[in-house]
Amino acid sequence: MLTRRDCMVALARAVVTLGAAGIMQAQPQVMGSRIFLWDSLKVEKTNVGERRDVVRLPTATLDELEMHITTLNAGQQSHPPHQHVGEELIIIKEGALESFVNGEYRRVGPGSIVFQASNQPHSIRNVGTGPATYHVIQWQSPGMLKE
C-alpha cells in the first residue's frame, strides 16, 4: 500500500532530479579538442574589412575561450584604443599593421605576435596599402566573467 510518506519521498526525489537536470542543461558546453578549417569559417563584412568568428566557449580550464580572425582594409583601424579584463594574443597573418601597446604604436608584420595584458589600452591599425589579416585569441580565466 502506498503511504503518504512514500509519496512525499517520491516527490522530493523528483524535484531534486529535475532541478539537477535543469542545472546541467544551463551549463554551457565545454569545448573539447577540435580543428577549425579556414574554408569553413563564415566571413562577415564589417565597416573596416571582414571578420571570421571561430569559437566562443568555455574549456576545461577557462570560463571562456574566444577566437576570431579580422581582416582590416588599408588605412583602417579595428577600434580606438580600449581595454578589457581578458588577456589576448594577436597573431599577424599578413599585411603591415601598427599595434598600440604600452602607450605607443609599434609596427608589426606577418609572423609577429602581440600580447595584450589585462586592462591595458590597445588597438591595431592597417598602415599598409592592402588588406591585413590577424588572428585574435582571448581568454577569460575562471571567475572573470560576470554573472
Side-chain angles (χ1 to χ4, degrees), residues 100-122:
F100 187 72
V101 176
N102 297 324
E104 65 180 351
Y105 280 96
R106 303 262 319 266
R107 194 171 180 102
V108 292
S112 298
I113 300 171
V114 178
F115 172 71
Q116 299 293 352
S118 176
N119 289 315
Q120 296 294 307
H122 63 276

Side-chain angles (χ1 to χ4, degrees), residues 14-103:
V15 167
V16 168
T17 300
L18 290 173
I23 289 171
M24 289 175 61
Q25 288 178 355
Q27 299 295 323
Q29 176 188 1
V30 172
M31 183 173 68
S33 299
R34 62 176 67 178
I35 294 172
F36 303 98
L37 298 174
W38 178 262
D39 292 337
S40 69
L41 300 174
K42 181 182 172 192
V43 179
E44 293 183 32
K45 298 290 183 186
T46 68
N47 292 336
V48 295
E50 298 175 344
R51 178 181 169 114
R52 290 169 170 83
D53 287 320
V54 179
V55 69
R56 186 177 211 145
L57 286 172
T59 71
T61 60
L62 297 172
D63 282 353
E64 182 179 271
L65 175 65
E66 188 268 331
M67 296 187 293
H68 67 273
I69 302 155
T70 297
T71 299
L72 289 178
N73 294 331
Q76 296 296 313
Q77 182 173 354
S78 59
H79 43 67
H82 74 286
Q83 61 192 49
H84 44 70
V85 175
E87 296 173 320
E88 65 185 14
L89 289 175
I90 299 172
I91 304 169
I92 314 308
K93 179 178 185 237
E94 62 186 6
L97 295 158
E98 284 184 343
S99 181
F100 187 72
V101 176
N102 297 324

